[in-house]
Amino acid sequence: MKEPLNSHMYSASIAVMLCISIAACQSDSPPEPASLDGLVTDFVSNAGLEGATLCWHIEAPTPTSLDAASSCVVTDNQGAYRIDLMEANQNGWLTARRQGYVTGIANLRTGSGLQTVPPLSLTTPTLFELQGQLTNTEAVGDTGSLVFSVSNGIPKDKKNVPNIQVSLTPKAGDGPFYLGSNSLPDLSASKTSINGGGLILNLPNGSYELRHDGLIEPCDVLLGHGTAQTVRAQVVPGWVTFVRIECPAPSGR
């Protein structure tokens, strides 16, 4: 004759099985770590900038909230840095600042492990003013600017993706002004040249979407949030916002 099941043992067995199958019963795993590394350079000389401060923000930063960053590091004598983060797969903002230069900001989404950020080229206030003169644009107070680039994915070849037209939502500021092959604004251009870049000036504080029309190859967002066709970016008064996408040509071309 079979012995009757012990109801307490039966209930305990069911509870153990449920605990194994339900995520809520599992112990919390630690956040997956992530790291960012890259270079900060001088826009004119392309030399690395020693002593620049790089900060990671999980909330949109402002000039008065820079000290509230979750992580900050200083570049070495080559302009290189590495920021170790507590958690991967985050949307956030990376700021780069150094005395004598205009602060730069880029929207980023972290992956897992080590993620290399494209070089951030800082410009001096004098050169910043010169850009306005070259575009026949009068500076407007309490505004920022946006610098965009469509890369071909080949470092230092000085050739990027031409024939891309950009537009901003909401419409604001002056531009876009596309850069010629000499890296200076070409006021007659309506699309990117082989330089692949351009700028928009006098943008009020806020979040914008930069749309790229004319993309052919599959492209990735390197600096910014969203998709390559529509990149979201934050503009801060007195700062330069970096937006960069990469459209590598298929091998063999």
Side-chain angles (χ1 to χ4, degrees), residues 164-181:
I164 305 300
Q165 190 171 46
V166 305
S167 57
L168 201 65
T169 303
K171 293 182 178 180
D174 294 297
F177 301 105
Y178 299 96
L179 303 183
S181 57

Side-chain angles (χ1 to χ4, degrees), residues 22 59 91 108:
I22 299 176
E59 295 184 2
N91 286 331
L108 284 177

Side-chain angles (χ1 to χ4, degrees), residues 87-113:
E87 189 174 346
N89 302 315
Q90 284 185 332
N91 286 331
W93 294 264
L94 183 66
T95 57
R97 68 185 192 273
R98 187 179 187 274
Q99 186 174 2
Y101 289 83
V102 179
T103 297
I105 179 174
N107 297 57
L108 284 177
R109 178 166 179 81
T110 64
S112 58

Side-chain angles (χ1 to χ4, degrees), residues 9-210:
M9 293 179 61
Y10 183 78
S11 299
S13 299
I14 294 297
V16 170
M17 293 175 65
L18 287 173
C19 193
I20 292 174
S21 62
I22 299 176
C25 294
Q26 297 176 348
S27 60
D28 293 334
S29 57
E32 189 176 9
S35 298
L36 302 174
D37 73 357
L39 292 172
V40 178
T41 62
D42 178 272
F43 178 79
V44 175
S45 68
N46 206 35
L49 284 178
E50 181 180 5
T53 300
L54 279 293
C55 292
W56 175 252
H57 309 259
I58 56 176
E59 295 184 2
T62 67
T64 58
S65 68
L66 278 172
D67 294 334
S70 59
S71 300
C72 290
V73 297
V74 176
T75 55
D76 63 17
N77 59 3
Q78 301 296 316
Y81 66 90
R82 173 171 171 152
I83 302 179
D84 294 317
L85 307 175
M86 294 297 294
E87 189 174 346
N89 302 315
Q90 284 185 332
N91 286 331
W93 294 264
L94 183 66
T95 57
R97 68 185 192 273
R98 187 179 187 274
Q99 186 174 2
Y101 289 83
V102 179
T103 297
I105 179 174
N107 297 57
L108 284 177
R109 178 166 179 81
T110 64
S112 58
L114 182 61
Q115 178 177 341
T116 297
V117 178
L120 302 178
S121 295
L122 301 186
T123 183
T124 64
T126 300
L127 185 58
F128 193 71
E129 293 174 4
L130 179 61
Q131 290 178 335
Q133 295 174 13
L134 292 174
T135 57
N136 297 323
T137 302
E138 185 175 348
V140 176
D142 205 30
T143 61
S145 63
L146 186 150
V147 174
F148 58 88
S149 177
V150 185
S151 169
N152 65 359
I154 304 174
K156 299 181 180 181
D157 74 339
K158 297 183 179 180
K159 296 179 182 179
N160 286 305
V161 181
N163 301 318
I164 305 300
Q165 190 171 46
V166 305
S167 57
L168 201 65
T169 303
K171 293 182 178 180
D174 294 297
F177 301 105
Y178 299 96
L179 303 183
S181 57
N182 58 1
S183 297
L184 296 176
D186 180 356
L187 301 187
S188 66
S190 59
K191 297 179 180 180
T192 58
S193 70
I194 199 69
N195 175 280
L199 63 157
I200 303 174
L201 305 175
N202 294 329
L203 289 171
N205 178 70
S207 181
Y208 295 86
E209 290 186 348
L210 186 72

